[in-house]
Amino acid sequence: MVYLSRLEHFNAAHKLYNPNWSEERNKEVFGPCSNQNWHGHNYELIVTVKGQPDPETGFVIDLKKLSNLIREQIINKVDHKNLNLDVPFMQGKLASTENLVMEFWRILEPLISSISSAKLHCLKLYETPRNFVEYYGE
Amino acid sequence: MVYLSRLEHFNAAHKLYNPNWSEERNKEVFGPCSNQNWHGHNYELIVTVKGQPDPETGFVIDLKKLSNLIREQIINKVDHKNLNLDVPFMQGKLASTENLVMEFWRILEPLISSISSAKLHCLKLYETPRNFVEYYGE
Amino acid sequence: MVYLSRLEHFNAAHKLYNPNWSEERNKEVFGPCSNQNWHGHNYELIVTVKGQPDPETGFVIDLKKLSNLIREQIINKVDHKNLNLDVPFMQGKLASTENLVMEFWRILEPLISSISSAKLHCLKLYETPRNFVEYYGE
Amino acid sequence: MVYLSRLEHFNAAHKLYNPNWSEERNKEVFGPCSNQNWHGHNYELIVTVKGQPDPETGFVIDLKKLSNLIREQIINKVDHKNLNLDVPFMQGKLASTENLVMEFWRILEPLISSISSAKLHCLKLYETPRNFVEYYGE
Amino acid sequence: MVYLSRLEHFNAAHKLYNPNWSEERNKEVFGPCSNQNWHGHNYELIVTVKGQPDPETGFVIDLKKLSNLIREQIINKVDHKNLNLDVPFMQGKLASTENLVMEFWRILEPLISSISSAKLHCLKLYETPRNFVEYYGE
Amino acid sequence: MVYLSRLEHFNAAHKLYNPNWSEERNKEVFGPCSNQNWHGHNYELIVTVKGQPDPETGFVIDLKKLSNLIREQIINKVDHKNLNLDVPFMQGKLASTENLVMEFWRILEPLISSISSAKLHCLKLYETPRNFVEYYGE
C-alpha cells in the first residue's frame, strides 16, 4: 500500500457567521472572522489516495487524472468564489475549514473510486500556513 | 547602510472591479477576480527599512517598534476585512496589489521616519506565493 | 472526526549534555550539540486536536482559545529562554526534541480536554526544517 | 513511542516509460513524463523512525548516524544520477515515485534496525512540492 | 513605478559538460553535475516587470497575460525536457543556470514590451532552493 | 552581469545585551532578547556574487568552491556556537543581525575576489523567517 498525494490551491472569501445568533454573539464567538463584509484566504488542499502501484505504470493513480478530477469537482467550484454565497454544497452550512473538508470528502470519495482502484485516504486543507484540518472520512 | 526587513501577514477579501465599466467588460478584463461576491487571500507584507546600525543597540531600527507600527497602521486596518468596502484609504481605488502597496507606502513612510533615523526602503506584498509586487516610493 | 492543527513558534537556546558523563563522552555522543556555551533554534510546534465539529460553530475547537492556551502554557515558558536552565519542566532532563515534545504533551493534554470536548491527538515539533519529532501520547 | 524524522534531498533525472509498450501508448499514458531525453526533479526524502528515547541521550536514534546512513545508502546512489540508467536497485523497474519509495524502504529498513533499537516507520518522498508519496512498509 | 512578479515552475534534465574538454577535466570542474546520463531539477522562475499601474485596471500588467506569455514562450519549451538536447535556444551552450536565465531574457524582454507598456526588470531562476541566479539584462 | 546566490544555514545561541547599561535598561530596550541565559535561532545566510559567466563553464563562480568558502570561513565559526562568547570576530560587539552581516562581509569580500573574478554583491541573513537583514558593503 502506497499513499500518493496531490496539492492544489484556491483563493476564496468567506465569513464565520451563525444566522440563528445575534450580531453580538457572532462577534463574541467568531471575532474578526465574522466581519459582515467577508475576509478571505489562499487555501491549499492536499488529496491523499492509497493503493497498490499498477505493475504496468508504477502508479497508484494517474496523477494527471487525479489533478483534473480535483480541479473539475472542487477547485472550479470554490476558486475565486465566496464560500458562503457561491458554493452550492456549502449552502446552509457554516463555512468553517472543518465543514469544507467534510464536504470535499463527500464529493471526491466516490469519484476517485470510480476512476481507479485507489481509495481516498485523507484530505488536508490549509486555511493559512498556521491553521489546517485533516479528514479521513470517519 | 544595512537593510532590515520585517514580515507581517493579513487575510482579506476583495474583488477587481471598475465601476465605470459594464459587467461584461469587467468580466473580460478581470476574469474570475471580478466575482461580484468577492474572493480573498492570505497576504504577506515585507517592510524593508535602511539605515546605520546604532552603536549602542546594534539596531537599524527597533524591530518590536517596527512590528507594532505595521500592525497598528496597516494590519489592523486590513486584516479580516474587505479591501473594497472596509478600508478607508482604499475608497474609490481599484483593490489591486499595486494600489494597495502604494497606499501602504503613503502611510508608513512618514511614520517610520518619525520613530527612527531609518528610512523606509521597500514594501513587498504577496497576494499569493506566485503573485507579488514591490514598491520603492517612486 | 476531524483533526485540527495550529502552528506556533519559539526561539530558544539549549545544549545536549549528560552531566553523568565525562566531557569527552559528551563530545563523542553529542558532537557540536554539546557546545558548553549553548546553541539555539527557531522551533515550530504544531498542535493537532481531534473531535466532532460543533454544529453551532462548525469548529472542532475554538482556534483562538487553542492558540492562547499554547502560548500561555508552552510558548511563554520556552520562547527566548534557555531550555536547560530557564524551563522548570525540563529541569533534570536532557533537552532533546524528543524529551521536549513529551513534556509539552503532559502539560497540554489535560488542559485541552478541560476547555473543549476535543482531544489532543499529536504534537509535532520542528527543531530545524530538517529535524523534527511527533508524539501521540503513548 | 516518539517518531523522529530527518529530511535529505537529491537531484535526479528520470523518465516514465514502459519498454513493453509502443511509443504511442507511452505518450498516451505518461504524457510529457515519457520524454525520451528525460526530465528531472529536486527530490526531498523524509525518513521517520519510531522508538523510545534512550534515557542517557534523550534520543530515539542518533540523528547524525541516521543522516549518514541515508546519505551512504540512498543519496549517494541517486543524487546527480539518472534513476532509469544509473541506479542498480531500479534496474528493470518503472522509475515512478511509488517504486522509488518502496525500494528505499527495502534498503533502509534492515539497516536502521541494525544501528539502533528504533524501527523505520515511514518514508515520504516529494517529487515536487505538489506531488509526493508515503510508504509504511506494508 | 511598481515592480510586479509572477512565479512559474518547470522540471527538466540537464548536465554540465564542455564538449571541448576531456572526460577527466569535465569531471574535475563540474563534478557530479557532469554525470553523462544527466540529472535534473524542479526549476522555479520569477519574472519581474516594472511600470506605472494603469488607472483603469490598477495593473502594471495583466498577470493572466504575463503568465500565459511565460508559459508559451518559456515553460512549454523547457518543462519535462532535456535542456542540453531538446531546447533549440540552448543548442551549443552550456546548460548552466546563468546561461539559461540570459536566454530567457532574450526571449521575454521584447515580448513583454509588445503586450504592455511595462518593461521586463529581472529574471530570478532557482535551480534548487539553495542555488539561484538573477539577471537584469545588462 | 549575472547575480548568483548560495544559501547556507547555521544554528546559534545569542543574546542582545549592552554591557555599558544597567540590567533594567537592557530589559527595557532588548526585552526578552536580553535573557541572561541566552536564546537562539536557525539562521539562513544567502551569499550573492556578481560577474560575467565564464564562456568555458557557464559559471559566474564555481558554486562548490563558493559553498566551501562560506562553510570554512563563516559556518564553521558560528554553527552550534554562542555568538557572544565563542566567535572571535564578534568579540566586543552587540550580537545583532545587523552587526553579524557586516562582519560576515568583512571576511567574505576579499576571499571571494581571491578565488574568482566575481565580486561579492549582497549578504542576506535571516534570523527568523520574519526578521532578516541585507548588506551591500556600503
Side-chain angles (χ1 to χ4, degrees), chain A residues 16 18 30 94 96 98 102 130-136 138, chain C residues 1-7 46 53 55-60 63:
Chain A
L16 296 174
N18 185 330
F30 295 118
L94 284 154
S96 70
E98 288 92 329
M102 289 191 293
R130 288 159 293 281
N131 298 338
F132 59 93
V133 298
E134 288 157 289
Y135 187 57
Y136 296 83
E138 52 189 22
Chain C
M1 193 74 81
V2 179
Y3 298 77
L4 177 74
S5 296
R6 173 72 191 167
L7 182 153
I46 298 177
E56 291 214 306
T57 60
F59 285 170
V60 164
L63 263 177

PDB file of all heavy atoms in Angstrom, chain A residues 16 18 30 94 96 98 102 130-136 138, chain C residues 1-7 46 53 55-60 63:
ATOM      1  N   LEU A  16     -17.382  33.600   9.055  1.00  0.00           N
ATOM      2  CA  LEU A  16     -17.951  32.660  10.016  1.00  0.00           C
ATOM      3  C   LEU A  16     -19.092  33.386  10.709  1.00  0.00           C
ATOM      4  O   LEU A  16     -18.880  34.429  11.353  1.00  0.00           O
ATOM      5  CB  LEU A  16     -16.883  32.207  11.013  1.00  0.00           C
ATOM      6  CG  LEU A  16     -15.745  31.412  10.365  1.00  0.00           C
ATOM      7  CD1 LEU A  16     -14.652  31.113  11.370  1.00  0.00           C
ATOM      8  CD2 LEU A  16     -16.254  30.121   9.738  1.00  0.00           C
ATOM      9  N   ASN A  18     -23.188  32.567  12.346  1.00  0.00           N
ATOM     10  CA  ASN A  18     -24.341  31.695  12.582  1.00  0.00           C
ATOM     11  C   ASN A  18     -25.613  32.537  12.517  1.00  0.00           C
ATOM     12  O   ASN A  18     -25.842  33.388  13.390  1.00  0.00           O
ATOM     13  CB  ASN A  18     -24.198  31.009  13.953  1.00  0.00           C
ATOM     14  CG  ASN A  18     -25.314  30.010  14.188  1.00  0.00           C
ATOM     15  OD1 ASN A  18     -26.435  30.178  13.692  1.00  0.00           O
ATOM     16  ND2 ASN A  18     -25.019  28.969  14.957  1.00  0.00           N
ATOM     17  N   PHE A  30     -16.988  34.374  17.033  1.00  0.00           N
ATOM     18  CA  PHE A  30     -16.155  34.281  15.822  1.00  0.00           C
ATOM     19  C   PHE A  30     -15.164  35.436  15.688  1.00  0.00           C
ATOM     20  O   PHE A  30     -14.290  35.399  14.820  1.00  0.00           O
ATOM     21  CB  PHE A  30     -17.043  34.197  14.581  1.00  0.00           C
ATOM     22  CG  PHE A  30     -17.876  32.943  14.508  1.00  0.00           C
ATOM     23  CD1 PHE A  30     -19.261  32.997  14.501  1.00  0.00           C
ATOM     24  CD2 PHE A  30     -17.261  31.701  14.455  1.00  0.00           C
ATOM     25  CE1 PHE A  30     -20.031  31.838  14.434  1.00  0.00           C
ATOM     26  CE2 PHE A  30     -18.022  30.529  14.380  1.00  0.00           C
ATOM     27  CZ  PHE A  30     -19.410  30.598  14.390  1.00  0.00           C
ATOM     28  N   LEU A  94     -22.123  26.332   8.007  1.00  0.00           N
ATOM     29  CA  LEU A  94     -21.101  27.278   8.436  1.00  0.00           C
ATOM     30  C   LEU A  94     -19.841  27.039   7.616  1.00  0.00           C
ATOM     31  O   LEU A  94     -19.404  25.898   7.466  1.00  0.00           O
ATOM     32  CB  LEU A  94     -20.801  27.078   9.925  1.00  0.00           C
ATOM     33  CG  LEU A  94     -21.875  27.660  10.844  1.00  0.00           C
ATOM     34  CD1 LEU A  94     -21.896  26.925  12.165  1.00  0.00           C
ATOM     35  CD2 LEU A  94     -21.587  29.141  11.063  1.00  0.00           C
ATOM     36  N   SER A  96     -16.753  26.902   7.906  1.00  0.00           N
ATOM     37  CA  SER A  96     -15.517  26.607   8.625  1.00  0.00           C
ATOM     38  C   SER A  96     -14.671  25.640   7.799  1.00  0.00           C
ATOM     39  O   SER A  96     -15.180  24.931   6.927  1.00  0.00           O
ATOM     40  CB  SER A  96     -15.828  25.982   9.992  1.00  0.00           C
ATOM     41  OG  SER A  96     -16.339  24.675   9.829  1.00  0.00           O
ATOM     42  N   GLU A  98     -13.398  22.963   8.861  1.00  0.00           N
ATOM     43  CA  GLU A  98     -13.859  21.620   9.190  1.00  0.00           C
ATOM     44  C   GLU A  98     -15.014  21.203   8.260  1.00  0.00           C
ATOM     45  O   GLU A  98     -15.002  20.092   7.707  1.00  0.00           O
ATOM     46  CB  GLU A  98     -14.368  21.570  10.650  1.00  0.00           C
ATOM     47  CG  GLU A  98     -13.289  21.638  11.710  1.00  0.00           C
ATOM     48  CD  GLU A  98     -12.997  23.065  12.172  1.00  0.00           C
ATOM     49  OE1 GLU A  98     -13.144  24.023  11.368  1.00  0.00           O
ATOM     50  OE2 GLU A  98     -12.623  23.231  13.352  1.00  0.00           O
ATOM     51  N   MET A 102     -15.078  18.234   5.046  1.00  0.00           N
ATOM     52  CA  MET A 102     -16.014  17.102   5.041  1.00  0.00           C
ATOM     53  C   MET A 102     -16.866  17.099   3.768  1.00  0.00           C
ATOM     54  O   MET A 102     -17.163  16.034   3.228  1.00  0.00           O
ATOM     55  CB  MET A 102     -16.885  17.131   6.294  1.00  0.00           C
ATOM     56  CG  MET A 102     -16.082  16.782   7.558  1.00  0.00           C
ATOM     57  SD  MET A 102     -17.129  16.497   9.019  1.00  0.00           S
ATOM     58  CE  MET A 102     -17.789  18.147   9.268  1.00  0.00           C
ATOM     59  N   ARG A 130      -0.709  28.414   9.158  1.00  0.00           N
ATOM     60  CA  ARG A 130      -0.730  28.144  10.595  1.00  0.00           C
ATOM     61  C   ARG A 130      -1.980  27.410  11.081  1.00  0.00           C
ATOM     62  O   ARG A 130      -1.998  26.911  12.188  1.00  0.00           O
ATOM     63  CB  ARG A 130      -0.578  29.472  11.373  1.00  0.00           C
ATOM     64  CG  ARG A 130       0.824  30.063  11.302  1.00  0.00           C
ATOM     65  CD  ARG A 130       0.860  31.540  11.601  1.00  0.00           C
ATOM     66  NE  ARG A 130       0.172  32.288  10.557  1.00  0.00           N
ATOM     67  CZ  ARG A 130       0.689  32.589   9.366  1.00  0.00           C
ATOM     68  NH1 ARG A 130       1.915  32.246   9.069  1.00  0.00           N
ATOM     69  NH2 ARG A 130      -0.022  33.238   8.466  1.00  0.00           N
ATOM     70  N   ASN A 131      -3.018  27.363  10.227  1.00  0.00           N
ATOM     71  CA  ASN A 131      -4.275  26.704  10.613  1.00  0.00           C
ATOM     72  C   ASN A 131      -4.684  25.702   9.538  1.00  0.00           C
ATOM     73  O   ASN A 131      -4.880  26.095   8.388  1.00  0.00           O
ATOM     74  CB  ASN A 131      -5.418  27.731  10.734  1.00  0.00           C
ATOM     75  CG  ASN A 131      -5.181  28.765  11.799  1.00  0.00           C
ATOM     76  OD1 ASN A 131      -4.408  28.541  12.731  1.00  0.00           O
ATOM     77  ND2 ASN A 131      -5.814  29.909  11.671  1.00  0.00           N
ATOM     78  N   PHE A 132      -4.851  24.434   9.917  1.00  0.00           N
ATOM     79  CA  PHE A 132      -5.261  23.464   8.901  1.00  0.00           C
ATOM     80  C   PHE A 132      -6.002  22.295   9.531  1.00  0.00           C
ATOM     81  O   PHE A 132      -5.906  22.061  10.742  1.00  0.00           O
ATOM     82  CB  PHE A 132      -4.066  22.991   8.079  1.00  0.00           C
ATOM     83  CG  PHE A 132      -2.962  22.351   8.862  1.00  0.00           C
ATOM     84  CD1 PHE A 132      -2.917  20.977   9.044  1.00  0.00           C
ATOM     85  CD2 PHE A 132      -1.939  23.112   9.400  1.00  0.00           C
ATOM     86  CE1 PHE A 132      -1.884  20.375   9.761  1.00  0.00           C
ATOM     87  CE2 PHE A 132      -0.904  22.526  10.116  1.00  0.00           C
ATOM     88  CZ  PHE A 132      -0.876  21.144  10.303  1.00  0.00           C
ATOM     89  N   VAL A 133      -6.749  21.570   8.702  1.00  0.00           N
ATOM     90  CA  VAL A 133      -7.528  20.422   9.175  1.00  0.00           C
ATOM     91  C   VAL A 133      -7.221  19.197   8.302  1.00  0.00           C
ATOM     92  O   VAL A 133      -6.779  19.318   7.164  1.00  0.00           O
ATOM     93  CB  VAL A 133      -9.050  20.690   9.119  1.00  0.00           C
ATOM     94  CG1 VAL A 133      -9.436  21.852  10.024  1.00  0.00           C
ATOM     95  CG2 VAL A 133      -9.521  20.935   7.696  1.00  0.00           C
ATOM     96  N   GLU A 134      -7.474  18.032   8.867  1.00  0.00           N
ATOM     97  CA  GLU A 134      -7.369  16.758   8.143  1.00  0.00           C
ATOM     98  C   GLU A 134      -8.637  15.956   8.387  1.00  0.00           C
ATOM     99  O   GLU A 134      -9.188  15.986   9.481  1.00  0.00           O
ATOM    100  CB  GLU A 134      -6.153  15.966   8.638  1.00  0.00           C
ATOM    101  CG  GLU A 134      -4.834  16.554   8.186  1.00  0.00           C
ATOM    102  CD  GLU A 134      -3.677  16.150   9.088  1.00  0.00           C
ATOM    103  OE1 GLU A 134      -3.627  16.639  10.236  1.00  0.00           O
ATOM    104  OE2 GLU A 134      -2.837  15.354   8.638  1.00  0.00           O
ATOM    105  N   TYR A 135      -9.052  15.199   7.368  1.00  0.00           N
ATOM    106  CA  TYR A 135     -10.249  14.379   7.490  1.00  0.00           C
ATOM    107  C   TYR A 135     -10.001  13.047   6.787  1.00  0.00           C
ATOM    108  O   TYR A 135      -9.476  13.011   5.680  1.00  0.00           O
ATOM    109  CB  TYR A 135     -11.448  15.105   6.859  1.00  0.00           C
ATOM    110  CG  TYR A 135     -12.769  14.415   7.069  1.00  0.00           C
ATOM    111  CD1 TYR A 135     -13.248  14.128   8.344  1.00  0.00           C
ATOM    112  CD2 TYR A 135     -13.570  14.064   5.980  1.00  0.00           C
ATOM    113  CE1 TYR A 135     -14.475  13.501   8.538  1.00  0.00           C
ATOM    114  CE2 TYR A 135     -14.802  13.445   6.158  1.00  0.00           C
ATOM    115  CZ  TYR A 135     -15.247  13.157   7.441  1.00  0.00           C
ATOM    116  OH  TYR A 135     -16.449  12.534   7.629  1.00  0.00           O
ATOM    117  N   TYR A 136     -10.393  11.948   7.480  1.00  0.00           N
ATOM    118  CA  TYR A 136     -10.181  10.598   6.955  1.00  0.00           C
ATOM    119  C   TYR A 136     -11.505   9.900   6.634  1.00  0.00           C
ATOM    120  O   TYR A 136     -11.539   8.690   6.451  1.00  0.00           O
ATOM    121  CB  TYR A 136      -9.402   9.757   7.969  1.00  0.00           C
ATOM    122  CG  TYR A 136      -7.999  10.262   8.235  1.00  0.00           C
ATOM    123  CD1 TYR A 136      -7.764  11.282   9.147  1.00  0.00           C
ATOM    124  CD2 TYR A 136      -6.905   9.721   7.560  1.00  0.00           C
ATOM    125  CE1 TYR A 136      -6.471  11.746   9.392  1.00  0.00           C
ATOM    126  CE2 TYR A 136      -5.618  10.176   7.797  1.00  0.00           C
ATOM    127  CZ  TYR A 136      -5.417  11.195   8.718  1.00  0.00           C
ATOM    128  OH  TYR A 136      -4.141  11.659   8.946  1.00  0.00           O
ATOM    129  N   GLU A 138     -14.189   9.484   8.538  1.00  0.00           N
ATOM    130  CA  GLU A 138     -14.963   8.826   9.610  1.00  0.00           C
ATOM    131  C   GLU A 138     -14.704   9.534  10.948  1.00  0.00           C
ATOM    132  O   GLU A 138     -13.663  10.085  11.174  1.00  0.00           O
ATOM    133  CB  GLU A 138     -14.603   7.355   9.725  1.00  0.00           C
ATOM    134  CG  GLU A 138     -13.121   7.068   9.862  1.00  0.00           C
ATOM    135  CD  GLU A 138     -12.820   5.584   9.748  1.00  0.00           C
ATOM    136  OE1 GLU A 138     -13.659   4.855   9.165  1.00  0.00           O
ATOM    137  OE2 GLU A 138     -11.744   5.156  10.215  1.00  0.00           O
TER     138      GLU A 138
ATOM    139  N   MET C   1     -15.005  12.559  12.785  1.00  0.00           N
ATOM    140  CA  MET C   1     -13.801  13.023  13.475  1.00  0.00           C
ATOM    141  C   MET C   1     -12.938  13.866  12.534  1.00  0.00           C
ATOM    142  O   MET C   1     -12.481  13.381  11.504  1.00  0.00           O
ATOM    143  CB  MET C   1     -12.991  11.802  13.940  1.00  0.00           C
ATOM    144  CG  MET C   1     -11.905  12.117  14.912  1.00  0.00           C
ATOM    145  SD  MET C   1     -12.570  12.490  16.550  1.00  0.00           S
ATOM    146  CE  MET C   1     -12.849  10.841  17.206  1.00  0.00           C
ATOM    147  N   VAL C   2     -12.729  15.132  12.896  1.00  0.00           N
ATOM    148  CA  VAL C   2     -11.854  15.998  12.114  1.00  0.00           C
ATOM    149  C   VAL C   2     -10.648  16.357  12.978  1.00  0.00           C
ATOM    150  O   VAL C   2     -10.770  16.533  14.191  1.00  0.00           O
ATOM    151  CB  VAL C   2     -12.586  17.275  11.634  1.00  0.00           C
ATOM    152  CG1 VAL C   2     -11.655  18.180  10.840  1.00  0.00           C
ATOM    153  CG2 VAL C   2     -13.808  16.916  10.780  1.00  0.00           C
ATOM    154  N   TYR C   3      -9.484  16.422  12.333  1.00  0.00           N
ATOM    155  CA  TYR C   3      -8.234  16.757  13.012  1.00  0.00           C
ATOM    156  C   TYR C   3      -7.888  18.201  12.680  1.00  0.00           C
ATOM    157  O   TYR C   3      -7.776  18.557  11.512  1.00  0.00           O
ATOM    158  CB  TYR C   3      -7.112  15.814  12.551  1.00  0.00           C
ATOM    159  CG  TYR C   3      -7.402  14.377  12.890  1.00  0.00           C
ATOM    160  CD1 TYR C   3      -8.306  13.636  12.131  1.00  0.00           C
ATOM    161  CD2 TYR C   3      -6.815  13.760  13.989  1.00  0.00           C
ATOM    162  CE1 TYR C   3      -8.605  12.316  12.461  1.00  0.00           C
ATOM    163  CE2 TYR C   3      -7.109  12.437  14.322  1.00  0.00           C
ATOM    164  CZ  TYR C   3      -8.005  11.733  13.557  1.00  0.00           C
ATOM    165  OH  TYR C   3      -8.306  10.436  13.876  1.00  0.00           O
ATOM    166  N   LEU C   4      -7.710  19.023  13.700  1.00  0.00           N
ATOM    167  CA  LEU C   4      -7.456  20.450  13.508  1.00  0.00           C
ATOM    168  C   LEU C   4      -6.089  20.783  14.083  1.00  0.00           C
ATOM    169  O   LEU C   4      -5.776  20.390  15.209  1.00  0.00           O
ATOM    170  CB  LEU C   4      -8.532  21.252  14.249  1.00  0.00           C
ATOM    171  CG  LEU C   4      -8.387  22.768  14.208  1.00  0.00           C
ATOM    172  CD1 LEU C   4      -8.770  23.303  12.843  1.00  0.00           C
ATOM    173  CD2 LEU C   4      -9.270  23.399  15.278  1.00  0.00           C
ATOM    174  N   SER C   5      -5.297  21.548  13.332  1.00  0.00           N
ATOM    175  CA  SER C   5      -3.922  21.837  13.764  1.00  0.00           C
ATOM    176  C   SER C   5      -3.643  23.324  13.809  1.00  0.00           C
ATOM    177  O   SER C   5      -4.145  24.090  12.983  1.00  0.00           O
ATOM    178  CB  SER C   5      -2.919  21.174  12.806  1.00  0.00           C
ATOM    179  OG  SER C   5      -3.039  19.775  12.842  1.00  0.00           O
ATOM    180  N   ARG C   6      -2.802  23.696  14.745  1.00  0.00           N
ATOM    181  CA  ARG C   6      -2.373  25.074  14.918  1.00  0.00           C
ATOM    182  C   ARG C   6      -0.849  25.109  15.054  1.00  0.00           C
ATOM    183  O   ARG C   6      -0.277  24.361  15.855  1.00  0.00           O
ATOM    184  CB  ARG C   6      -3.002  25.664  16.176  1.00  0.00           C
ATOM    185  CG  ARG C   6      -2.523  27.027  16.586  1.00  0.00           C
ATOM    186  CD  ARG C   6      -3.016  28.131  15.678  1.00  0.00           C
ATOM    187  NE  ARG C   6      -2.344  29.390  15.925  1.00  0.00           N
ATOM    188  CZ  ARG C   6      -2.406  30.441  15.107  1.00  0.00           C
ATOM    189  NH1 ARG C   6      -3.116  30.402  13.999  1.00  0.00           N
ATOM    190  NH2 ARG C   6      -1.746  31.540  15.381  1.00  0.00           N
ATOM    191  N   LEU C   7      -0.188  25.957  14.286  1.00  0.00           N
ATOM    192  CA  LEU C   7       1.264  26.109  14.357  1.00  0.00           C
ATOM    193  C   LEU C   7       1.644  27.342  15.178  1.00  0.00           C
ATOM    194  O   LEU C   7       1.111  28.423  14.938  1.00  0.00           O
ATOM    195  CB  LEU C   7       1.820  26.236  12.930  1.00  0.00           C
ATOM    196  CG  LEU C   7       3.333  26.369  12.761  1.00  0.00           C
ATOM    197  CD1 LEU C   7       3.747  25.818  11.385  1.00  0.00           C
ATOM    198  CD2 LEU C   7       3.838  27.794  12.862  1.00  0.00           C
ATOM    199  N   ILE C  46       3.494  22.201  16.078  1.00  0.00           N
ATOM    200  CA  ILE C  46       2.147  22.011  15.525  1.00  0.00           C
ATOM    201  C   ILE C  46       1.354  21.150  16.500  1.00  0.00           C
ATOM    202  O   ILE C  46       1.741  20.021  16.801  1.00  0.00           O
ATOM    203  CB  ILE C  46       2.201  21.334  14.145  1.00  0.00           C
ATOM    204  CG1 ILE C  46       2.964  22.222  13.154  1.00  0.00           C
ATOM    205  CG2 ILE C  46       0.783  21.073  13.629  1.00  0.00           C
ATOM    206  CD1 ILE C  46       3.146  21.602  11.766  1.00  0.00           C
ATOM    207  N   PRO C  53     -16.950  18.406  14.765  1.00  0.00           N
ATOM    208  CA  PRO C  53     -17.287  19.829  14.668  1.00  0.00           C
ATOM    209  C   PRO C  53     -18.605  20.123  15.379  1.00  0.00           C
ATOM    210  O   PRO C  53     -19.574  19.388  15.223  1.00  0.00           O
ATOM    211  CB  PRO C  53     -17.414  20.070  13.152  1.00  0.00           C
ATOM    212  CG  PRO C  53     -16.639  18.977  12.514  1.00  0.00           C
ATOM    213  CD  PRO C  53     -16.757  17.791  13.436  1.00  0.00           C
ATOM    214  N   PRO C  55     -22.059  21.659  15.793  1.00  0.00           N
ATOM    215  CA  PRO C  55     -22.977  22.113  14.737  1.00  0.00           C
ATOM    216  C   PRO C  55     -23.274  23.615  14.789  1.00  0.00           C
ATOM    217  O   PRO C  55     -23.620  24.201  13.770  1.00  0.00           O
ATOM    218  CB  PRO C  55     -24.256  21.295  14.988  1.00  0.00           C
ATOM    219  CG  PRO C  55     -24.022  20.466  16.194  1.00  0.00           C
ATOM    220  CD  PRO C  55     -22.628  20.656  16.685  1.00  0.00           C
ATOM    221  N   GLU C  56     -23.117  24.242  15.932  1.00  0.00           N
ATOM    222  CA  GLU C  56     -23.422  25.678  16.021  1.00  0.00           C
ATOM    223  C   GLU C  56     -22.277  26.573  15.573  1.00  0.00           C
ATOM    224  O   GLU C  56     -22.487  27.739  15.262  1.00  0.00           O
ATOM    225  CB  GLU C  56     -23.783  26.026  17.467  1.00  0.00           C
ATOM    226  CG  GLU C  56     -25.115  25.412  17.900  1.00  0.00           C
ATOM    227  CD  GLU C  56     -25.835  26.322  18.864  1.00  0.00           C
ATOM    228  OE1 GLU C  56     -25.200  26.676  19.875  1.00  0.00           O
ATOM    229  OE2 GLU C  56     -27.002  26.683  18.603  1.00  0.00           O
ATOM    230  N   THR C  57     -21.051  26.040  15.592  1.00  0.00           N
ATOM    231  CA  THR C  57     -19.903  26.877  15.214  1.00  0.00           C
ATOM    232  C   THR C  57     -19.133  26.321  14.014  1.00  0.00           C
ATOM    233  O   THR C  57     -18.361  27.043  13.374  1.00  0.00           O
ATOM    234  CB  THR C  57     -18.886  26.978  16.382  1.00  0.00           C
ATOM    235  OG1 THR C  57     -18.424  25.646  16.685  1.00  0.00           O
ATOM    236  CG2 THR C  57     -19.503  27.605  17.608  1.00  0.00           C
ATOM    237  N   GLY C  58     -19.318  25.039  13.728  1.00  0.00           N
ATOM    238  CA  GLY C  58     -18.512  24.413  12.684  1.00  0.00           C
ATOM    239  C   GLY C  58     -17.095  24.121  13.149  1.00  0.00           C
ATOM    240  O   GLY C  58     -16.244  23.720  12.363  1.00  0.00           O
ATOM    241  N   PHE C  59     -16.834  24.296  14.445  1.00  0.00           N
ATOM    242  CA  PHE C  59     -15.472  24.179  14.982  1.00  0.00           C
ATOM    243  C   PHE C  59     -15.267  22.875  15.753  1.00  0.00           C
ATOM    244  O   PHE C  59     -16.115  22.506  16.577  1.00  0.00           O
ATOM    245  CB  PHE C  59     -15.193  25.288  15.996  1.00  0.00           C
ATOM    246  CG  PHE C  59     -14.962  26.652  15.434  1.00  0.00           C
ATOM    247  CD1 PHE C  59     -14.908  27.762  16.278  1.00  0.00           C
ATOM    248  CD2 PHE C  59     -14.781  26.854  14.078  1.00  0.00           C
ATOM    249  CE1 PHE C  59     -14.670  29.025  15.785  1.00  0.00           C
ATOM    250  CE2 PHE C  59     -14.537  28.137  13.575  1.00  0.00           C
ATOM    251  CZ  PHE C  59     -14.491  29.218  14.439  1.00  0.00           C
ATOM    252  N   VAL C  60     -14.140  22.232  15.569  1.00  0.00           N
ATOM    253  CA  VAL C  60     -13.697  21.167  16.472  1.00  0.00           C
ATOM    254  C   VAL C  60     -13.280  21.778  17.802  1.00  0.00           C
ATOM    255  O   VAL C  60     -13.551  21.252  18.878  1.00  0.00           O
ATOM    256  CB  VAL C  60     -12.525  20.381  15.837  1.00  0.00           C
ATOM    257  CG1 VAL C  60     -11.812  19.545  16.878  1.00  0.00           C
ATOM    258  CG2 VAL C  60     -13.020  19.504  14.700  1.00  0.00           C
ATOM    259  N   LEU C  63     -10.144  28.003  17.633  1.00  0.00           N
ATOM    260  CA  LEU C  63      -8.708  28.135  17.366  1.00  0.00           C
ATOM    261  C   LEU C  63      -8.065  29.260  18.180  1.00  0.00           C
ATOM    262  O   LEU C  63      -6.879  29.185  18.506  1.00  0.00           O
ATOM    263  CB  LEU C  63      -8.458  28.416  15.887  1.00  0.00           C
ATOM    264  CG  LEU C  63      -8.114  27.213  15.015  1.00  0.00           C
ATOM    265  CD1 LEU C  63      -7.976  27.638  13.565  1.00  0.00           C
ATOM    266  CD2 LEU C  63      -6.805  26.567  15.483  1.00  0.00           C
TER     267      LEU C  63
END
